[in-house]
Amino acid sequence: WMTGFFNPQGFLTAMRQDVTRAHKAANWALDSVVLNNRVTKMYNEDDVTEPPAEGVFVRGLYLDGAGWERRAERLCEQQNKVLFVPMPIIHIYAEQTTSVQRDGKLYQCPVYKKPSRTDLNYITTLYLRTNASPDHWVRRGVAILCDTK
């Protein structure tokens, strides 16, 4: 629940540091560790039976400017008169940059604290699956929000 933090960027940095320390034997350096994510099929915190091995589960995020196809687990066109779509629980984890391979069909979705999209409200980027070109979603201004007010 990212909106509960005064400084969500600090929370994610602390998680990166924790994962880096866990892989100290493999010589991971904090500078070479990046955030990655996986959108789960879980929508309620009651669906989570155990914590992830590494990283964190984040709930309470809203998609602005697009819809979410539950079965295919990817972005879709926004339904009429629906401004914000609740996102499933997202597993955010850290991995070494040498092991990261990004698919070309991933939209780099910015995450903001509030609907006013300024650099002061920017938190991080999450990667969302899509069938359309990522440029399609850029032109639509798709973002993830922690708070809709």
Side-chain angles (χ1 to χ4, degrees), residues 18-70:
D18 189 48
V19 171
T20 302
R21 283 188 202 106
H23 291 278
K24 188 177 183 180
N27 292 326
W28 282 26
L30 185 59
D31 293 342
S32 67
V33 173
V34 295
L35 293 178
N36 206 344
N37 65 278
R38 180 182 61 83
V39 180
T40 70
K41 293 185 178 199
M42 301 179 286
Y43 275 84
N44 298 318
E45 61 187 283
D46 298 334
D47 297 338
V48 179
T49 56
E50 59 186 40
E54 283 188 345
V56 293
F57 286 131
V58 176
R59 68 173 176 87
L61 300 178
Y62 298 90
L63 194 56
D64 181 17
W68 186 255
E69 226 178 293
R70 288 184 179 203

Side-chain angles (χ1 to χ4, degrees), residues 104-146:
K105 287 289 189 174
L106 290 175
Y107 169 59
Q108 296 181 28
C109 188
V111 181
Y112 295 96
K113 294 179 196 174
K114 303 263 182 203
S116 89
R117 300 180 187 186
T118 65
D119 58 340
L120 296 174
N121 287 326
Y122 176 77
I123 298 173
T124 189
T125 298
L126 294 180
Y127 299 91
L128 303 178
R129 292 181 47 216
T130 174
N131 268 353
S133 164
D135 292 339
H136 173 77
W137 305 111
V138 171
R139 287 190 295 275
R140 294 226 189 269
V142 174
I144 290 179
L145 306 175
C146 291

